[in-house]
C-alpha cells in the first residue's frame, strides 16, 4: 500500500460510533479499514481522529481557487470539496457583456478579476479550467441570477415565454456539462426579480437532471419564515430537491424563532420532501454593502445603480427605503447602521474604513460610489440560540459562506470547520464528534449524490482529514481573520497530502466534481 494510518480513531462520516482501526490507502482509494498490513508509509494515529474530507456546501472561492494555488483558507481546515456558484451569481454561463457586469457586481466577493484570465464562457469550460489543477475539489451550481442576466438583462419584469425558454435551456446545458444544481440569490439583483412561477419552471429542469435547488431566499429578516415556506412550496410543486443556503434566523425579529423554522422543515420531510440545509457556526453575516440597497435601485445594472447613488434626489429615496421602510435588499428590516462593519474595500484609498462601523447613510453612499460597489461588510445580526438549534437538525450540513476577498474577511472563511469541532463539539457539546463529522462529510456527499466520497469505506476516494480532537480549533478571529487553524496535521485528496505535518504542500490534487446520476 501507499499509506497506512495505524490505530486511528475512525469517524467514518455515517454518524455511527467511532472505532479504532488501521486504514489503508493505495492508488488514491481507501483499500482497507480494519487491521493493516505493510505500507510504504505509516502514519501513527494514536489519539487522533481520521474522518472523510470536509465538504463546504456554500463557498465563494470561484476565483480564489484560480488566483491562489495554496488556498490554505480551506485546505488547512480539512476541506477537500467546495460547492461554488452560490447565491445565483457567478461567472458561468456568460457572454462578454454579462461577464463584465457580474465582475463589477460581485467584486466585493471575489475581487474584480483583473488578475484572472477569463478564458471560459460556459459551465463546462469553467469546470475544465478547474481541472487544470486546484488546491481542493470543487462542484458548481448554475447561478440563476447570472442566467437571468443573460436572458433579459437587469429588468424587473416577468420573463417572456421566449426568455424563459432560453433560461431553461441555459440551466439544462449547465447541468449536462456537470453542474450539480441551481442556485439563486433572491435578495440580490437581478435574480430577485424572478417570480415563483419562473423559479418553479427552472426547478423542474433541475429535477429532470436529479440536481438540487439552493436558494438564498427572499428574506432572512422580517419575512424569514414566509421565505422559507415559499421555497419549500415551490420545490415540492416542481418535484425538486431543496438545499437551503446559510439557513439562519437573524435580526431582532427572529430571536428565539429557530424552532419555528425547524417545524416547517419537519412538516415538509414528513410529506416526503427532499430537503437539506447548511449553516455556519458564527453570529454575524457577511455580504456586500450594495446588497443592502432596495432592488429598484439596481434595475439596469451596476452603472445604473451608481448613477442613482450620485443623484441626490434618488439617493434620498434610497435612504428612506433602507432606514424607514426596510428595503428588500436588507431583508425587510429598517437598517441598523451600528450593526454594519466594513470588512473590505476595492479602492485602497478607502482602507481606513475597514473595521469601522458605518455611522450613517451618507457614509455608506460615499463608500459605494467611490469604491464602485466593491465594499464588503459584516452584519452583526445573529442569535446564538438559533445557531445551535439549527446545527442540531438531522438534515443540517456545514457551509462556510466564506468570502476570502477583502482586508478583514469574516473569520468563517478560515475557521468554520475547526470551529464546529473545537467549540461546538469539544467545548459546548452541542453535537457529538460522530454527529458533527457526519454533518460535515457523509450528509453533504449524499446531497451531492457522490457515489464514492463522504465516507470511510473500502473503494471510496481517499479524501481524508486527520485531526486531534483535543486541540483542533479555529485560529481565525474577527481581529485576525486569516489565522490558520490548529490541530489538523494531515489532509489528503485522492491519497495525496495537501496538508502534511500541518503545512501546505505544493500538491494541486483538486479537480471539478461533476453531477453524477442517482445511485440505486
Amino acid at each position: 500500500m501507499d499509506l497506512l494510518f495505524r490505530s486511528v480513531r475512525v469517524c467514518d462520516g455515517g454518524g455511527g460510533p467511532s472505532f479504532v482501526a488501521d486504514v489503508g490507502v493505495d492508488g488514491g482509494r481507501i483499500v482497507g479499514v480494519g487491521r493493516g498490513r505493510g505500507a510504504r508509509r505509516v502514519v501513527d494515529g494514536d489519539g487522533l481522529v481520521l474522518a472523510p474530507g470536509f465538504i463546504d456546501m456554500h463557498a465563494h472561492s470561484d476565483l480564489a481557487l484560480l488566483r491562489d494555488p495554496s488556498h490554505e483558507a480551506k485546505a488547512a481546515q480539512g476541506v477537500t470539496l467546495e460547492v461554488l456558484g452560490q447565491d445565483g451569481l457567478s461567472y458561468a454561463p456568460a457572454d462578454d457583456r454579462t461577464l463584465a457586469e457580474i465582475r463589477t457586481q460581485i467584486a466585493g466577493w471575489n475581487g474584480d478579476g483583473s488578475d484572472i484570465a477569463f478564458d471560459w464562457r460556459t459551465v463546462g469550460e469553467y469546470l475544465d479550467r478547474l481541472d487544470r489543477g486546484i488546491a481542493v475539489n470543487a462542484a458548481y451550481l448554475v447561478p440563476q441570477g447570472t442566467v437571468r442576466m443573460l436572458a433579459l438583462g437587469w429588468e424587473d419584469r416577468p420573463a417572456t415565454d421566449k426568455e424563459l425558454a432560453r433560461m431553461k435551456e441555459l440551466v439544462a446545458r449547465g447541468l449536462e456539462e456537470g453542474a450539480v444544481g441551481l442556485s439563486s440569490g433572491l435578495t440580490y439583483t437581478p435574480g430577485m426579480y424572478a417570480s415563483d412561477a419562473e423559479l418553479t419552471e427552472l426547478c423542474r429542469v433541475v429535477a429532470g437532471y436529479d440536481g438540487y435547488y439552493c436558494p438564498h431566499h427572499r428574506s432572512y429578516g422580517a419575512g424569514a419564515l414566509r421565505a422559507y415556506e415559499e421555497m419549500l412550496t415551490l420545490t415540492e410543486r416542481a418535484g425538486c430537491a431543496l438545499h437551503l443556503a446559510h439557513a439562519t434566523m437573524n435580526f431582532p425579529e427572529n430571536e428565539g424563532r429557530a424552532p419555528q423554522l425547524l417545524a416547517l422543515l419537519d412538516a415538509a420531510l414528513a410529506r416526503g420532501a427532499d430537503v437539506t440545509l447548511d449553516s455556519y457556526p458564527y453570529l454575524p453575516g457577511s455580504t456586500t454593502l450594495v446588497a443592502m440597497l432596495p432592488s429598484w435601485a439596481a434595475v439596469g445594472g451596476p452603472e445604473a445603480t451608481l448613477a442613482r447613488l450620485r443623484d441626490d434626489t434618488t439617493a434620498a429615496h434610497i435612504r428612506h427605503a433602507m432606514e424607514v421602510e426596510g428595503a428588500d435588499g436588507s431583508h425587510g428590516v429598517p437598517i441598523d447602521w451600528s450593526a454594519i462593519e466594513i470588512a473590505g474595500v476595492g479602492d485602497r484609498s478607502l482602507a481606513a474604513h475597514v473595521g469601522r462601523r458605518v455611522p450613517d447613510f451618507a457614509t455608506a453612499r460615499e463608500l459605494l460610489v467611490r469604491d464602485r460597489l466593491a465594499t464588503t461588510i459584516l452584519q452583526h445580526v445573529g442569535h446564538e440560540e438559533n445557531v445551535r438549534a439549527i446545527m442540531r437538525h438531522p438534515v443540517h450540513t456545514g457551509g462556510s459562506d466564506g468570502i476570502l476577498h477583502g482586508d478583514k474577511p469574516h473569520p468563517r472563511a478560515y475557521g468554520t470547520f475547526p470551529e464546529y469541532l473545537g467549540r461546538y463539539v469539544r467545548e459546548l457539546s452541542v453535537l457529538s464528534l460522530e454527529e458533527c463529522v457526519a454533518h460535515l462529510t457523509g450528509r453533504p456527499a449524499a446531497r451531492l449524490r457522490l457515489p464514492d466520497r463522504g465516507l470511510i469505506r473500502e473503494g471510496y476516494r481517499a479524501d481524508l482529514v486527520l485531526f486531534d480532537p483535543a486541540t483542533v480549533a479555529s485560529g481565525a478571529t474577527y481581529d485576525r481573520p486569516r489565522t490558520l487553524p490548529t490541530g489538523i496535521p494531515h489532509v489528503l485528496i485522492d491519497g495525496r497530502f495537501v496538508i502534511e505535518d500541518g503545512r501546505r504542500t505544493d500538491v494541486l490534487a483538486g479537480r471539478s466534481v461533476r453531477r453524477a446520476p442517482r445511485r440505486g
Side-chain angles (χ1 to χ4, degrees), residues 13 97 105 156 175 194 228 264 370 406 426 430 442 444 476 488:
R97 171 190 61 84
Q105 186 184 15
D156 183 2
L175 292 162
Y228 281 115
L264 284 176
R370 291 180 60 190
R426 183 179 64 245
V430 174
I488 304 177

Side-chain angles (χ1 to χ4, degrees), residues 95-102 149-154 166:
D95 56 19
D96 291 348
R97 171 190 61 84
T98 303
L99 188 58
E101 292 171 344
I102 202 71
M149 208 182 300
L150 270 168
L152 65 150
W154 293 78
R166 186 176 184 219

Side-chain angles (χ1 to χ4, degrees), residues 17 60 100 128 179 181 209 228 251 256 287 301 348 389 403 444 484 500 510:
H60 288 285
D128 289 344
Y209 286 88
Y228 281 115
F251 301 94
T287 188
R348 302 309 307 157
I403 295 173
L484 297 177
E500 187 172 19

Side-chain angles (χ1 to χ4, degrees), residues 146-467:
T146 305
V147 166
R148 199 172 208 269
M149 208 182 300
L150 270 168
L152 65 150
W154 293 78
E155 298 179 49
D156 183 2
R157 62 169 176 81
T160 65
D161 289 346
K162 183 177 180 180
E163 289 163 344
L164 179 57
R166 186 176 184 219
M167 285 190 279
K168 291 167 70 173
E169 179 184 346
L170 288 166
V171 171
R173 182 178 177 186
L175 292 162
E176 288 171 357
E177 291 172 346
V180 295
L182 175 73
S183 75
S184 283
L186 299 179
T187 65
Y188 299 128
T189 56
M192 69 191 304
Y193 301 143
S195 67
D196 282 4
E198 180 180 313
L199 294 171
T200 300
E201 286 299 305
L202 298 183
C203 283
R204 288 193 172 115
V205 175
V206 176
Y209 286 88
D210 206 21
Y212 69 93
Y213 181 45
C214 180
H216 165 130
H217 52 270
R218 296 192 193 275
S219 176
Y220 290 83
L225 288 172
R226 290 193 303 275
Y228 281 115
E229 191 165 18
E230 174 192 11
M231 295 297 101
L232 289 163
T233 300
L234 185 157
T235 48
E236 287 182 66
R237 186 180 298 122
C240 184
L242 173 65
H243 182 83
L244 294 164
H246 38 58
T248 58
M249 292 291 289
N250 288 341
F251 301 94
E253 290 83 344
N254 291 315
E255 187 171 4
R257 298 184 74 187
Q260 295 177 46
L261 165 61
L262 301 181
L264 284 176
L265 292 179
D266 289 337
L269 291 165
R271 294 191 299 269
D274 184 356
V275 186
T276 50
L277 58 85
D278 65 65
S279 75
Y280 46 80
Y282 296 89
L283 302 188
S286 177
T287 188
T288 56
L289 183 57
V290 68
M292 300 291 99
L293 302 184
S295 59
W296 56 259
V299 172
E303 294 304 324
T305 302
L306 287 165
R308 292 185 182 99
L309 286 165
R310 292 186 184 106
D311 180 78
D312 290 342
T313 300
T314 309
H317 291 308
I318 294 172
R319 177 178 181 175
H320 181 82
M322 297 177 74
E323 296 183 349
V324 179
E325 297 172 357
D328 48 7
S330 51
H331 306 279
V333 179
I335 198 160
D336 174 9
W337 292 113
S338 69
I340 306 296
E341 178 184 354
I342 301 301
V345 292
D347 184 338
R348 302 309 307 157
S349 69
L350 301 172
H353 291 273
V354 174
R356 296 179 181 175
R357 302 294 174 113
V358 178
D360 48 35
F361 174 78
T363 302
R365 177 191 178 192
E366 180 186 6
L367 275 170
L368 286 168
V369 171
R370 291 180 60 190
D371 207 23
R372 290 189 55 78
L373 312 182
T375 309
T376 55
I377 61 170
L378 301 182
Q379 196 171 18
H380 296 268
V381 291
H383 304 287
E384 179 68 22
E385 69 274 23
N386 287 347
V387 170
R388 296 190 193 191
I390 290 167
M391 74 170 63
R392 290 190 186 103
H393 196 274
V395 301
H396 168 267
T397 67
S400 70
D401 195 14
I403 295 173
L404 300 171
H405 180 69
D407 298 284
K408 192 174 183 288
H410 197 302
R412 67 193 186 195
Y414 283 73
T416 286
F417 295 86
E419 183 78 355
Y420 270 119
L421 296 167
R423 176 168 168 75
Y424 286 93
V425 171
R426 183 179 64 245
E427 296 176 10
L428 299 175
S429 300
V430 174
L431 294 168
S432 72
L433 181 60
E434 292 86 351
E435 288 173 322
C436 186
V437 168
H439 286 228
L440 307 181
T441 61
R443 204 165 289 165
R447 161 50 69 222
L448 295 167
R449 307 202 193 287
L450 302 179
D452 58 357
R453 301 176 197 264
L455 299 172
I456 294 181
R457 299 278 194 277
E458 289 190 20
Y460 273 56
R461 289 180 180 271
D463 294 353
L464 300 167
V465 54
L466 188 72
F467 64 91

Side-chain angles (χ1 to χ4, degrees), residues 42-84:
V42 176
V43 174
D44 182 7
D46 185 31
L48 303 179
V49 170
L50 187 69
F54 303 138
I55 298 176
D56 188 342
M57 287 295 289
H58 193 104
H60 288 285
S61 303
D62 306 49
L63 298 186
L65 276 166
L66 303 177
R67 175 182 293 124
D68 175 18
S70 70
H71 201 49
E72 283 188 298
K74 297 300 179 66
Q77 292 184 60
V79 171
T80 58
L81 171 60
E82 300 183 274
V83 185
L84 313 177

